[in-house]
Amino acid sequence: MLDESTIAAIADDLAQAEKDRTKIGLLTTKYPDMTVEDSYAVQNEWRRRGEASGRRLIGHKIGLTSKPMQQATGISEPDYGAIFADQVYDTGSVIDHSQYSGVRVEVELAFVLKDELRGPDISLLDVLRATEYVVPALEVLSSRIEMEGRTIVDTISDNAALGAMVLGGNPVAVDAVDLRRVGALLYRNESVEDSGLAAAVLDHPARGIVWLANKLAEHGDVLQAGETVLAGSFTRPMWVSPGDTVHADYGDLGVITCRFE
């Protein structure tokens, strides 16, 4: 395990990279013995600093839950990160591309909880019972660490590469649709770039929430009532540039549109 001063120094470097819109080198190169628990300690320090500065935690994201995402990154296990209120946009928003680094977009579903989920031993049915509604969402990825050759340790330390979240479409109850068969077409500037079904996320998008609730329990944390949880992408990350318009069509669940400038 890395000592507290090293954890703080890594958090400092990541904060400076976020401020400067740059990337630092791979942590696994500088700290070859760094563990997954070390990386969650770095992420928790980032979260602690955010809350201390007045930012409001509103949920979590789950990453690397689908085969397309794992193949795109070369990483074979999920991770998670924290979401603050100032990272959330509504559909139709214009987003400042320069706020982020290595900007990509993913198609996801967001689960909004009405009840607490406290692991361990959370099941799929527990998650479905605790969910108030599910709503379409886009995740905007931003990387503060070099992308080439990164491992799970790098991505976790980087708050699972979260930049922002865009919410839209039609909220639905978990029993109103077959969540496994929710699909989406992802457009960039009026051209379809990707598509997918939510079943690509661990065979059912709620299984990501199961994993998260049980993983948080290992770290002495819980999913609180009212939290929004991004369940994981079922498309590959799509690169976006200034001037691009992104549109995601979820069929009966509606659409999300945003523009980067």
Side-chain angles (χ1 to χ4, degrees), residues 49-135:
R49 293 180 184 188
E51 291 181 297
S53 69
R55 300 179 79 184
R56 180 169 61 89
L57 184 75
I58 59 97
H60 289 79
K61 66 150 287 185
I62 310 164
L64 307 176
T65 53
S66 68
K67 294 291 186 184
M69 278 306 303
Q70 291 177 357
Q71 290 168 355
T73 60
I75 297 170
S76 60
E77 61 179 309
D79 63 0
Y80 71 80
I83 306 172
F84 287 116
D86 58 16
Q87 295 176 293
V88 182
Y89 294 89
D90 291 326
T91 184
S93 293
V94 177
I95 301 173
D96 181 0
H97 188 278
S98 68
Q99 291 184 83
Y100 310 110
S101 178
V103 187
R104 293 144 289 150
V105 169
E106 297 174 347
V107 168
E108 311 201 11
L109 292 175
F111 285 64
V112 179
L113 302 179
K114 62 183 177 181
D115 299 316
E116 177 186 271
L117 284 170
R118 183 181 294 271
D121 303 323
I122 292 296
S123 69
L124 180 64
L125 290 178
D126 291 329
V127 171
L128 296 177
R129 279 193 293 263
T131 300
E132 182 176 3
Y133 60 85
V134 177
V135 64

Side-chain angles (χ1 to χ4, degrees), residues 25-28 39 145 149-159:
L26 295 173
L27 297 178
T28 41
S39 60
I145 298 176
R150 58 194 287 159
T151 70
I152 192 72
V153 167
D154 297 294
T155 62
I156 293 169
S157 300
D158 196 19
N159 195 41

Side-chain angles (χ1 to χ4, degrees), residues 10-27 30 97-104 141-150 154-155 158 161 239-240:
I10 295 171
D12 288 341
D13 290 343
L14 287 168
Q16 191 63 47
E18 184 170 28
K19 179 180 178 181
D20 296 340
R21 313 296 183 245
T22 57
K23 298 183 182 70
I24 64 172
L26 295 173
L27 297 178
K30 189 172 183 179
H97 188 278
S98 68
Q99 291 184 83
Y100 310 110
S101 178
V103 187
R104 293 144 289 150
L141 296 175
S142 180
S143 296
R144 278 72 54 169
I145 298 176
E146 285 180 14
M147 297 174 62
E148 184 68 29
R150 58 194 287 159
D154 297 294
T155 62
D158 196 19
W239 287 88
V240 293

